């Protein structure tokens, strides 16, 4: 490392500078994104073994006129660090609930449909007024909370489990469901899971991706599924890209799926059409 240290350092510094400017640009642009209507939600179908629609996951998209389309993996962390995640998260929740209401009233949702899933950032969740904020949105949009599935991550369960459980219980009393997203990748203690009002575990796509050639991934999924059965929780696999993956998952007891094999995330207009025609994926 020492021989090319000098040029390596310059290269590194340039990269760092570039990164810092990009980030600053993004941070500024993100401040305006909400008021300028640059955010949109897309919805990815969740299906049962027959391919019937059982749910939708709302996923946020940012179309910046200056920076182009920026994936959530890039701007969500910045929104979290800057606190913008709070208004952004509220926008996502409101928009998703309004859309759910519209589907229920206009196109109709199939009988098999259970929940609209919404991602909640740990920063959002940790706010004192989180529960009130969510209940306010339900009230404003007239949505039935039992059609809402909040996706939280394991890592947010580690800190202050008592307050986490209390918030979840309050929302659960209104009918809200909770799923643990990216299950298996975080640090949650299984002992805690028992005390939380959870409905579902979401098997992370990294395990699904390796299911055919990594015996460990297969074993992990197998373990998650039998554990979930014990705890009377549902399991959904995400990132299902092939029929083969679906079949392996089915053979070990998974009955809910989400992934490109069934459908990519869809714009609401595209989904409207699909819902009006048939809801098989
Ligand atoms: P996630 O919650 O784990 O969402 C699943 C991601 O996997 C989505 O990426 C989805 O488009 C993608 N995906 C779905 N099926 C497949 C598949 O078969 N193969 C592969 N390779 N990918 C698949 P996306 O939309 O880019 O979102 C990335 C992450 O950004 C999400 O991961 C979530 O953590 C975060 N995110 C997205 N929308 C929101 C939001 O509204 N609020 C918050 N707080 N986070 C969000
Ligand atoms: Ca998710
Ligand atoms: Ca996930
Ligand atoms: Ca993920």
């Amino acid at each position: 490392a020492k021989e090319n240290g000098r040029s390596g350092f310059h290269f590194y510094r340039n990269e760092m500078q570039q990164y810092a400017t990009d980030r600053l640009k993004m941070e500024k642009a993100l401040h305006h994104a909400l008021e300028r209507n640059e955010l949109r939600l897309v919805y990815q179908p969740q299906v049962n073994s027959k391919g019937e629609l059982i749910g939708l996951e709302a996923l946020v998209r940012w179309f910046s006129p200056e920076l182009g389309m920026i994936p959530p993996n890039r701007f969500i962390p910045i929104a979290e660090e800057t606190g913008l995640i709070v208004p952004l998260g509220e926008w996502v929740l409101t928009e998703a609930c309004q859309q759910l209401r519209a589907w229920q009233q206009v196109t109709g949702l199939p009988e098999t449909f259970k929940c609209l899933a919404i991602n909640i950032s740990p920063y959002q969740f940790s706010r004192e007024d989180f529960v009130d904020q969510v209940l306010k949105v339900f009230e404003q949009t007239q949505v039935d909370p039992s059609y809402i599935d909040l996706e939280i991550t394991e890592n947010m369960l580690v800190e202050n489990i008592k307050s986490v459980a209390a918030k979840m219980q309050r929302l659960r009393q209104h009918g809200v469901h909770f799923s643990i997203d990216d299950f298996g990748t975080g640090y949650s203690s299984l002992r805690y899971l028992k005390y939380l009002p959870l409905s579902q575990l979401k098997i992370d796509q990294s395990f699904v991706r390796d299911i055919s050639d990594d015996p460990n991934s297969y074993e992990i999924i197998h373990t998650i599924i039998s554990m979930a059965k014990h705890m009377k929780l549902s399991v959904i696999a995400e990132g299902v890209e092939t029929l083969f993956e679906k079949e392996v998952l089915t053979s070990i007891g998974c009955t809910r799926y989400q992934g490109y094999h069934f459908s990519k995330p869809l714009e609401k207009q595209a989904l409207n059409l699909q819902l009006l025609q048939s809801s098989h994926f």
Side-chain angles (χ1 to χ4, degrees), residues 80 120-127 153 155-156:
E80 287 175 333
I120 300 296
S121 146
Y123 295 77
Q124 225 182 322
F125 189 89
S126 68
R127 298 252 312 185
T153 54
N155 298 352
M156 73 170 86

Side-chain angles (χ1 to χ4, degrees), residues 27-184:
E27 199 179 308
K28 275 196 180 146
L30 192 55
H31 269 281
H32 301 293
L34 272 167
E35 57 206 60
R36 291 184 190 160
N37 248 327
E38 294 168 10
L39 297 179
R40 236 186 278 163
L41 292 183
V42 289
Y43 299 87
Q44 188 173 32
Q46 302 177 330
V47 303
N48 63 18
S49 302
K50 294 184 206 156
E52 294 163 331
L53 187 74
I54 55 167
L56 291 165
E57 179 177 14
L59 295 157
V60 68
R61 296 289 176 265
W62 177 21
F63 299 89
S64 160
E66 299 111 339
L67 307 167
M69 149 53 185
I70 300 156
N73 284 334
R74 287 190 65 206
F75 70 85
I76 294 286
I78 297 176
E80 287 175 333
E81 284 169 41
T82 55
L84 278 170
I85 193 68
V86 175
L88 192 154
E90 189 165 359
W91 179 84
V92 167
L93 198 64
T94 309
E95 174 72 18
C97 288
Q98 268 167 2
Q99 189 55 51
L100 176 64
R101 226 11 219 162
W103 278 321
Q104 282 172 330
Q105 294 183 321
V106 184
T107 47
L109 284 161
E111 295 245 309
T112 49
F113 182 90
K114 293 192 171 69
C115 277
L116 175 67
I118 299 169
N119 291 283
I120 300 296
S121 146
Y123 295 77
Q124 225 182 322
F125 189 89
S126 68
R127 298 252 312 185
E128 201 65 64
D129 60 353
F130 174 72
V131 173
D132 294 325
Q133 197 189 67
V134 173
L135 292 176
K136 188 186 80 191
V137 172
F138 291 160
E139 177 112 25
Q140 283 168 347
T141 56
Q142 291 293 296
V143 106
D144 174 354
S146 62
Y147 280 99
I148 301 295
D149 174 23
L150 299 183
E151 294 195 1
I152 60 176
T153 54
E154 286 170 272
N155 298 352
M156 73 170 86
L157 308 177
V158 179
E159 281 168 54
N160 202 351
I161 190 74
K162 275 208 180 119
S163 112
V164 169
K167 284 179 182 168
M168 288 175 70
Q169 261 135 21
R170 255 188 88 197
L171 286 167
R172 182 73 199 113
Q173 275 160 11
H174 285 83
V176 176
H177 296 274
F178 285 95
S179 294
I180 300 205
D181 205 358
D182 307 329
F183 190 75

